[in-house]
Amino acid sequence: MDLNKKFTPQSWPAHPENSTLEGKNKTLGFWIFLGGETVLFATLFATFLALKNKGPAGMEFSTQSLFELPLAFIMTMLLLTSSLTSVYAMYHMKNYNFKAMQAWLIVTVLLGLGFLGLEIYEFYHYVHLGFTFTQSAFGSSFYTLVGTHGLHVIIGLAWFILLMLRNSKRGLNLYNAPKYYLASLYWHFIDVVWVFIFTVVYLMGVLG
Amino acid sequence: MSHDVEARTRSKHEYEYARKRANQGMRNQVTVFAIMIFLTFIAFAAVQAGMSAYLVAPLILLFAAVQVALQLYYFMHWSEKGHGMAQFFMYSAAFIAFTMILAFVTIIWW
């Protein structure tokens, strides 16, 4: 079986991500990885919950004085929408429509960049106020948790962009279909983590 | 090693049926997205409204759990066949995550 074989929408398998042994193994391995990522983020959430609002005596920074909900809301909407656009991309991938898939991935990347820009603005703003990584235990745990998520966003964006560039002239085949599928799973996972971040860090932070 | 690739050309009817199913599936995904947006909106509004934290905190945590379940079962395809191992890994991870957060929150709570 030549992996670069060309297909038509009618001959394209219903589950291209799982039609080759390599695809099956990748999917399985990727879910093991996501399990590990879940535990990684759990450690960071646990640390943040234990250390939030803790710092030097008389510290002026707290979740209630720092966080602004409108910004968190816009970031949430951007990331949630980008999750849907990557669902659209995978829908077109399964229909063997390469151009539509690439187009939806471009939208996904743009929304992700918007999210990242707002996060950088947010961190810049806090540092400007004097709330830095080394300022308090609260600061360290906050930047580690939210920053690790932001790093995942950067990796997810780079992954999508590299896939789109690498395969731009190649089109879809059973070799790269699992790659796109896994990148999109990773992107959904980033949104899963963000759901907990906006709830536990921002909303519950503002609640006090 | 030559791997079997389960690829055969579908009949016209099979193909049209599959496309119809896929379109229906995509409509469901959009509905799921609308529910997630709605839950997010309610969660932010509940916090902004300034109600009791004892009421709002459990509510928004419940909404987060529902959103994550929707994301996993629909966007990440757990509702389709063949995701037993994925669920096994993620539920194991969720169990460890829950235990760890419980431990941290109860040990360092002053």
Side-chain angles (χ1 to χ4, degrees):
Chain A
M1 173 71 194
D2 172 21
L3 285 173
N4 283 312
K5 182 186 163 197
K6 290 283 174 219
F7 286 85
T8 65
Q10 216 165 323
S11 68
W12 186 239
H15 290 281
E17 75 280 3
N18 276 339
S19 302
T20 58
L21 181 62
E22 187 181 347
K24 282 192 181 84
N25 286 341
K26 273 183 172 164
T27 312
L28 183 69
F30 198 73
W31 279 108
I32 301 178
F33 167 70
L34 287 186
E37 290 270 282
T38 306
V39 175
L40 162 74
F41 276 104
T43 63
L44 300 178
F45 271 108
T47 313
F48 174 80
L49 284 172
L51 297 178
K52 88 170 183 182
N53 295 340
K54 305 286 191 295
M59 179 173 76
E60 55 181 309
F61 301 112
S62 70
T63 52
Q64 277 170 313
S65 72
L66 277 172
F67 297 157
E68 280 161 30
L69 284 187
L71 185 71
F73 183 73
I74 296 170
M75 287 166 75
T76 305
M77 285 299 152
L78 286 177
L79 209 59
L80 202 56
T81 310
S82 79
S83 208
L84 179 75
T85 57
S86 83
V87 171
Y88 267 109
M90 287 311 105
Y91 165 74
H92 288 299
M93 187 274 276
K94 289 189 177 174
N95 286 343
Y96 199 67
N97 187 342
F98 181 69
K99 283 215 173 82
M101 180 190 75
Q102 295 276 83
W104 279 108
L105 286 180
I106 289 171
V107 178
T108 307
V109 166
L110 289 177
L111 288 166
L113 283 174
F115 173 88
L116 196 65
L118 287 180
E119 184 150 275
I120 290 168
Y121 162 77
E122 186 196 3
F123 282 9
Y124 177 80
H125 176 67
Y126 292 159
V127 168
H128 201 68
L129 294 174
F131 180 65
T132 62
F133 189 90
T134 52
Q135 187 267 337
S136 58
F138 171 39
S140 308
S141 62
F142 170 78
Y143 285 114
T144 308
L145 171 58
V146 183
T148 304
H149 176 266
L151 178 69
H152 279 73
V153 173
I154 295 174
I155 293 171
L157 288 174
W159 192 352
F160 274 142
I161 292 169
L162 289 174
L163 271 182
M164 288 189 303
L165 290 178
R166 174 71 183 90
N167 295 300
S168 59
K169 293 211 173 63
R170 189 189 253 163
L172 267 176
N173 54 41
L174 287 181
Y175 170 66
N176 58 26
K179 293 172 183 270
Y180 279 104
Y181 184 80
L182 294 186
S184 129
L185 275 188
Y186 187 73
W187 194 253
H188 292 312
F189 179 77
I190 290 171
D191 199 42
V192 165
V193 174
W194 180 257
V195 168
F196 283 115
I197 291 184
F198 86 69
T199 304
V200 172
V201 177
Y202 291 94
L203 290 180
M204 290 176 70
V206 170
L207 273 179
Chain B
M1 200 160 65
S2 72
H3 301 311
D4 286 339
V5 175
E6 298 149 17
R8 59 180 189 89
T9 303
R10 293 175 278 192
S11 76
K12 193 163 168 285
H13 283 297
E14 270 183 303
Y15 173 65
E16 277 165 8
Y17 179 67
R19 275 301 280 262
K20 222 163 127 184
R21 285 285 301 267
N23 289 344
Q24 184 57 48
M26 194 59 230
R27 264 201 293 279
N28 289 345
Q29 300 281 40
V30 176
T31 311
V32 166
F33 174 72
I35 296 171
M36 297 202 293
I37 291 281
F38 179 72
L39 291 178
T40 307
F41 197 78
I42 300 285
F44 275 89
V47 172
Q48 201 76 295
M51 288 185 279
S52 161
Y54 291 101
L55 181 72
V56 175
L59 185 76
I60 59 177
L61 281 175
L62 178 72
F63 282 4
V66 172
Q67 271 208 53
V68 164
L70 289 176
Q71 185 94 227
L72 288 166
Y73 277 91
Y74 290 95
F75 284 12
M76 295 167 93
H77 311 291
W78 279 10
S79 60
E80 290 166 22
K81 273 185 197 158
H83 285 78
M85 286 314 274
Q87 292 182 20
F88 170 70
F89 293 136
M90 291 303 277
Y91 276 116
S92 312
F95 173 72
I96 295 169
F98 176 75
T99 315
M100 187 148 44
I101 288 170
L102 190 70
F104 268 61
V105 164
T106 47
I107 287 172
I108 318 170
W109 195 259
W110 66 86

